[in-house]
Amino acid sequence: MPQPQRQDWIDLLRGMAVVGMVWVHSANTFLVAAQQAQPWYGELSFYHGLVAPTFFWLAGLMRGMAVRSRAMDRLSSSKPRRPAWPTVRRLLGILGVAYVLHLPQALMQPGASFSEMLRVLCQVDVLHCLAVSCLLLVALEKLPRGTSLAVAMLLLVVLLATPWATATRTGWVVVDAFLNKQQGSLFPLFPWFGFAAAGWLCGRWGRGIVPLGLLGVALAFSMPWLPGGYGHVWFFFERLGWVLLAAAVVKIGYNALSQTIQTRAGLGWLLLAGRESLVMYVAHLLLIYALPLPRQPLQLVLGQTLSLGQVAIVWAVVLLASLAVAWGAEARKNHGAR
């Protein structure tokens, strides 16, 4: 499908999210348990929890922007709709990568039964949910009209049906893993699809970043004061508010500062991380959880034994190694395009 013109602020925000995700995985994996039990780490975990919604929102935003771009093209010409298969094939490839990344963890369980290995293999993480969320959006984009209403309605249905999905079990491991966390999934579709759908709506209608930032402030700071009883609803809207606020700050700040060559050069590594976010994601997961160094992955070599300063060092090393892989991937891609 046609991609909208690349916008550096999107790559910058996505790059910041990638760097944050490497930190989250490093801290959760290596920081000594006694430190993770401290109140300060609990407070920090809230901000850790903003990384994944940012990825989902940006994925939806890019799809919505592409749909808006196509709609404007059709107004100025008679171009037919482009086939969805290339996009579907790419998303299915991402879904396949997500399952392959779980294969080492599923196999590294001595004495585990086949059903237990299957449960681990099918657990839904960010890539699984992102790919399926975008596949759902692609399907809705093929409606002859009323796509925006359909996306908004599905967002509402997913959000309201989250309690039902949380308590549901079909007996099909692959399906249950997308419904709730009972199978060990961290990012089931309920309610995580909602962040991608919200991003799609923002990209499709493009009302300007300042109104979105103001909406973000309203959501982020009002949710904690509302009465309880709908925890998943407050969870969704509060985090969506922080994501919208972060997007507004990054876009406005980057537009103001990017006129200088020094600013663009200094942020080059973050922009690279944003452009090659999938490569960065896969590379850092392999480095921490899968690659034998030399006999066991880093997760088992170090465990939860490090101080905060030592975790920062490991995070920097993993980040630099992942950036090197991303740089190589982009260089190869650019060479192939010549």
Side-chain angles (χ1 to χ4, degrees), residues 19-314:
V19 171
M21 183 163 286
V22 177
W23 164 257
V24 171
H25 287 154
S26 299
N28 289 345
T29 304
F30 302 120
L31 185 63
V32 65
Q35 288 294 308
Q36 293 194 33
Q38 296 296 318
W40 66 268
Y41 194 80
E43 293 293 328
L44 184 62
S45 294
F46 174 82
Y47 298 98
H48 287 176
L50 299 178
V51 172
T54 302
F55 275 115
F56 282 89
W57 186 81
L58 284 172
L61 179 77
M62 293 297 291
R63 292 215 55 79
M65 290 173 63
V67 170
R68 186 178 69 193
S69 177
R70 287 204 308 267
M72 294 176 66
D73 287 343
R74 285 199 296 271
L75 289 176
S76 58
S77 67
S78 58
K79 292 181 180 179
R81 287 194 175 195
R82 292 176 179 257
W85 173 241
T87 300
V88 171
R89 181 174 57 193
R90 179 172 58 85
L91 292 171
L92 289 176
I94 292 174
L95 186 60
V97 169
Y99 281 113
V100 169
L101 287 174
H102 273 229
L103 191 58
Q105 186 181 359
L107 296 177
M108 288 191 304
Q109 300 187 63
S113 64
F114 174 77
S115 60
E116 176 60 21
M117 289 191 292
L118 182 62
R119 184 188 69 83
V120 174
L121 179 64
C122 294
Q123 288 171 352
V124 172
D125 286 338
V126 169
L127 283 187
H128 303 76
C129 193
L130 266 178
V132 173
S133 295
C134 288
L135 285 169
L136 288 172
L137 292 173
V138 170
L140 293 177
E141 288 165 13
K142 289 303 172 182
L143 294 174
R145 59 178 60 88
T147 302
S148 297
L149 178 61
V151 171
M153 291 299 295
L154 186 55
L155 187 162
L156 184 62
V157 167
V158 166
L159 190 59
L160 295 180
T162 295
W164 166 84
T166 301
T168 298
R169 185 167 185 176
T170 67
W172 294 84
V173 178
V174 176
V175 175
D176 290 342
F178 279 98
L179 292 178
N180 52 56
K181 297 184 177 182
Q182 293 182 26
Q183 306 298 318
S185 298
L186 295 177
F187 297 94
L189 282 171
F190 298 81
W192 288 92
F193 168 79
F195 292 106
W200 191 97
L201 292 170
C202 292
R204 176 63 181 88
W205 294 108
R207 298 303 184 188
I209 200 64
V210 172
L212 287 182
L214 294 175
L215 176 61
V217 170
L219 293 176
F221 293 100
S222 66
M223 287 299 112
W225 299 97
L226 294 178
Y230 298 92
H232 65 287
V233 176
W234 308 153
F235 167 90
F236 173 79
F237 282 111
E238 183 179 16
R239 280 155 183 78
L240 177 61
W242 281 102
V243 170
L244 294 177
L245 179 57
V249 170
V250 169
K251 183 175 184 179
I252 294 171
Y254 185 77
N255 288 346
L257 299 175
S258 62
Q259 306 305 318
T260 64
I261 297 177
Q262 293 84 353
T263 298
R264 294 182 61 85
L267 295 175
W269 65 281
L270 268 177
L271 293 171
L272 168 63
R275 292 192 301 270
E276 298 294 335
S277 57
L278 178 60
V279 173
M280 289 282 295
Y281 181 84
V282 172
H284 94 273
L285 287 183
L286 291 176
L287 287 169
I288 294 177
Y289 300 111
L291 293 181
L293 300 170
R295 297 181 179 179
Q296 293 180 317
L298 201 58
Q299 176 190 18
L300 299 179
V301 172
L302 297 177
Q304 290 184 322
T305 62
L306 303 185
S307 66
L308 187 62
Q310 292 169 327
V311 169
I313 294 173
V314 172

